[in-house]
Amino acid sequence: MELPGLLSVLIGTLGLLGTCVAGIIPRVSFSMGTPGRSLGKFNGSDISNTTTLLLSDDGQTLFVGARDSVLALNVSKDDVIVMSKLDWSPSEVAMKDCSMKGKEKADCHNFIRVLQFLNSTHIYACGTFAYSPRCAYIKSEPFFLLTTPSGRTEEGRGRCPYDPYQRNSAITVDGELYTATVADYMGNRPVISRYLSQGAHIDLKLDDTLGWLEDPTFISSSFVPSDEKIYFFFSELGREYDFIEKFTVSRIAQVCTSDVGGQRTLQRRWTTFAKAQLLCKSDNELPYNIIQDIVTLLPPDGTPVDDTLFFGIFTSQWSVNSGRSAVCAFRLGDIKDVFAGNYKVLNRDTLRWSTRVQEKVANPGECGLHNASDNTLRFVKENFLADDSVHPVGRRLTMVSPDQHYSHLAAQRVQASNGQNYTVLFLLTESGYLHKAVLLRNGMHIIEEVQVFQQPQPVKNILLSISKGVVFVGLSDGVLRVPTSNCSYYRSCPQCVLARDPFCAWDRLNKECALAISIQDKAGQDVDSGNVQEACASPMMPRSRFVPIKGNTDSYSPGELVSVSLNEVVQLQCPEASRLAKRHWEGPSSSLSPDVYLELEDGSLRFLLTPDTEGQYFCISTENNFQQNLAVYQVTEKSSPTQKATSPAVTPTRPQSRSLPPTTRAGTRRQLTPPLMVPKPIEPEPTTLPGQTRATTRHVSRNFTFWAEPAGESKDEETLLLKQGKTYLQELVVVSVLLASSVVVLLTTALYSVRQRCRKRTMPQASSLRRESDRSSECDPLQVGQSPRSNGKRNGLAAPNGQGNGAVCNVTPKGSNGHLPNTPI
């Protein structure tokens, strides 16, 4: 990317890049152990870090580089894996020396990081070997390790990393090893080298000249035979962008296999090394600049080699794209055009890059420069960074995932039943799922996701075997085998077509979903549009009020009978055929009023059974403009009264609320009996057959039973009661009024008693009382409730007979003993 262009992107879109990226949802999801997706796994108690994979040409043997061992797995059979094992571990002395250098003991083992075929009979393997890399030859048949007569192996420095967590790349061409790794203990000397050279070739490595490699992380490498070039993919610091500190860029570098170095300049050094930037971005957006993995997809037969595609996974160092992964595809022809263009030059004095304006002396990266003059080689030595960047195909992203972080991928070209080729990607997420996606004209469609591991895996790898039709996943504790197709999972023609899987098509003769290449007659398949009406052979019936019985598309059932009592809550479950489909319910009145029915997020339906809600209910799925019935229920009222359970712990005269039958939701319910209530005996939980849907009912009574329910369930039921008018509002108002009246009476009595006691304490003398008694026309407000005959009054309290209401006037005051004040009895 040009400097002004990047500046404009950074300034203009850094704060406005929050582009709305629609989530790409897998159509079907299989958790680990699901019967619908069979997986095969090989593991052992003494086997770990099985992350380096190598498949034989015939696809019958999978060689695995693990910790302290190399494995040979016979994968010729689908139901069994036979293992041969070679132990290759460091000595106790080497382990002790590694620990003394400050390394963790767990990292001082021999982690196999290079595993490549040298020829049809031998394999070349290299391991970290307690932070002292070693390499050895392995004979593939019979399987054993070759060493020197002294029992030692070869030095592995520059061929294998020291650190088991350091990424590297290796590839063999004509028995020669091309590697990209670090050549020192500290990991500060990155090198791209050739070893095991034969004939006129000599071992080469990259010159240590400043700027050739800037703290790279090597990812992958690929060989293009027609060009005799090897391409290396890595990410490094982009020093040409000096206005940003530590700006990471993705690179592609090339060397020619015919290179033998210069005669005087660049002796034993690459003369054909050149690199360019891989720009995974769309217009007016920040780039996804950190490459995670990249694979090569060869073009179809009969097409130019320049149509070779490189699919890569990229992440971003910008916080605005944090957590996202992008997939970009780069065409070989575009890469060659960039390397054939202009190059930047580095000013050694200012360490600033600029575009060369003087005459081009040579074309950097061109094969055959080893015989060039010293002047030409010096030009090549200083001009190795291409001025232009490699843009993705169509200058757009193949896919952006806003919620998945992909780490590895594999690619395959599949021919559909109509003869058209489709690209299928297998993407491994860091959360433990393998996504199978197909590239369509209008974007990417994720056919399914399969869970391949549950615990986080620090190092992993995947390898595609087209001949076996499987994807091998190298985990930390074993190797997993995932079939690339799962056609038998789809039981009907609509489901087979809606999957839009180029591997699968509907076999009209055998009435099954099978591999498209195995179907002789015209197959039912529509990968681009998923049009069921046109792809399925028989005329599609209009939406029926019946649901097909599982496994038999010619038989129909009127639906499952659900019999409950009146005014009970009914819950009808609806299975999920696809995560891309929308489900809705239809009942006796076709459309269901939201005032009466609740459609929950899991697709189930809740309502109270009344005479108006009896009838037949249908759960209908709509996907890609095609509708089908997923479940049918016939809801009726029970004909016989519910039998009451008897128990010695339950008082017969005390009615008990009916317990709620179990539902199909995960989790258990616990009944909590409040104080002063007799607990109801726990009824045995009925079992549910596979594929059977249970109806949830609840009997509403005047007793209160408390349940520990899933969140939102009680609220939904209360809402249903309100919708049907089944409330206790009137009873609640009456009880509240009575309670308030009682509280008022008690408070009034208490206040009156307190007031009387205070009055006695402040009672005036007899003379004063006599003067007050003369006021016969006045009333004493404190004498409320007294009567002339209230001689039985004590301490201001009314007589037991309860007589005497209202204010009493002209009453002769008396003491607490019933006589006049200060008058002896």
Side-chain angles (χ1 to χ4, degrees), residues 433-695:
Y433 284 87
L434 184 67
H435 285 187
K436 174 182 174 182
V438 58
L439 301 184
L440 305 176
R441 290 192 300 265
N442 56 351
M444 180 175 287
H445 168 66
I446 301 181
I447 301 169
E448 62 180 5
E449 66 173 4
V450 183
Q451 188 178 21
V452 294
F453 59 85
Q454 294 177 336
Q455 300 298 327
Q457 302 286 335
V459 181
K460 41 196 174 290
N461 192 13
I462 64 176
L463 179 64
L464 173 64
S465 173
I466 297 178
S467 60
K468 297 292 295 182
V470 296
V471 176
F472 295 102
V473 182
L475 308 176
S476 294
D477 59 347
V479 178
L480 198 66
R481 178 169 54 188
V482 183
T484 57
S485 61
N486 191 31
C487 303
S488 60
Y489 173 76
Y490 308 106
R491 299 296 187 91
S492 63
C493 180
Q495 286 297 320
C496 187
V497 174
L498 289 173
R500 303 169 74 176
D501 189 342
F503 285 97
C504 304
W506 183 253
D507 189 344
R508 296 186 175 94
L509 180 62
N510 298 320
K511 295 184 178 180
E512 64 178 2
C513 192
L515 289 174
I517 58 175
S518 64
I519 300 176
Q520 302 296 331
D521 196 4
K522 184 180 180 181
Q525 187 185 56
D526 188 357
V527 179
D528 285 314
S529 304
N531 193 320
V532 175
Q533 301 287 348
E534 295 181 1
C536 289
S538 59
M540 296 305 300
M541 300 171 56
R543 192 179 67 216
S544 173
R545 289 284 183 177
F546 299 94
V547 62
I549 297 176
K550 187 176 182 180
N552 186 357
T553 58
D554 295 331
S555 301
Y556 295 90
S557 168
E560 180 181 350
L561 179 63
V562 179
S563 180
V564 295
S565 300
L566 201 63
N567 292 330
E568 289 188 357
V569 178
V570 181
Q571 179 172 331
L572 305 179
Q573 300 289 345
C574 182
E576 185 181 56
S578 169
R579 298 172 67 182
L580 301 180
K582 294 182 179 180
R583 292 172 290 180
H584 72 278
W585 288 86
E586 291 187 4
S589 59
S590 183
S591 61
L592 305 182
S593 171
D595 296 334
V596 180
Y597 298 91
L598 289 178
E599 296 191 27
L600 305 182
E601 293 183 358
D602 61 354
S604 61
L605 180 69
R606 276 192 168 193
F607 59 93
L608 287 177
L609 181 63
T610 63
D612 295 334
T613 59
E614 288 189 71
Q616 203 169 32
Y617 291 85
F618 308 89
C619 181
I620 300 173
S621 170
T622 303
E623 181 179 2
N624 203 19
N625 297 325
F626 175 76
Q627 290 186 337
Q628 58 180 332
N629 287 331
L630 299 180
V632 179
Y633 296 95
Q634 184 70 36
V635 181
T636 61
E637 182 184 356
K638 284 185 178 180
S639 57
S640 60
T642 305
Q643 297 179 356
K644 296 183 179 179
T646 60
S647 174
V650 179
T651 305
T653 58
R654 179 189 292 266
Q656 299 294 322
S657 69
R658 187 162 173 251
S659 62
L660 182 66
T663 67
T664 55
R665 286 188 177 184
T668 58
R669 292 183 174 182
R670 181 168 55 92
Q671 183 174 356
L672 305 177
T673 305
L676 303 180
M677 291 188 64
V678 180
K680 182 178 179 179
I682 300 176
E683 299 178 358
E685 180 174 338
T687 58
T688 301
L689 297 177
Q692 183 180 5
T693 305
R694 246 181 281 172

Side-chain angles (χ1 to χ4, degrees), residues 54 95 99 241 250 269 277 362 396 434 619 677 736 765:
L54 179 66
M95 293 283 289
S99 299
Y241 303 108
S250 296
R269 300 292 189 268
Q277 180 180 357
R396 62 183 180 89
L434 184 67
C619 181
M677 291 188 64
S736 300
Q765 298 300 323

Side-chain angles (χ1 to χ4, degrees), residues 1 43 72 169 367 597 651 661 718:
M1 175 189 287
N43 56 3
S169 177
C367 297
Y597 298 91
T651 305
E718 292 173 2

Side-chain angles (χ1 to χ4, degrees), residues 68 88-99 105 108-110 129-130 132 134 152:
D68 296 334
W88 187 19
S89 58
S91 62
E92 292 294 334
V93 176
M95 293 283 289
K96 185 179 296 184
D97 292 343
C98 178
S99 299
K105 185 177 180 180
C108 290
H109 293 271
N110 185 25
F129 212 80
S132 180
R134 307 295 299 179
R152 293 183 58 83

Side-chain angles (χ1 to χ4, degrees), residues 1-4 6-7 211-214 234 236-252 275-279 343-347 351-355 384-390:
M1 175 189 287
E2 295 79 1
L3 184 58
L6 184 59
L7 275 173
W212 284 49
L213 293 173
E214 296 286 352
F234 56 95
E236 66 172 358
L237 296 179
R239 298 296 186 185
E240 66 270 31
Y241 303 108
D242 54 359
F243 59 92
I244 300 178
E245 185 178 1
K246 294 185 178 180
F247 176 52
T248 305
V249 296
S250 296
R251 302 286 196 197
I252 178 173
K275 67 180 181 179
Q277 180 180 357
L278 290 175
L279 200 57
Y343 281 77
K344 298 180 184 295
V345 60
L346 177 64
N347 189 323
L351 298 181
R352 295 179 66 91
W353 291 86
S354 61
T355 303
F384 54 87
L385 177 60
D387 185 48
D388 199 4
S389 300
V390 182

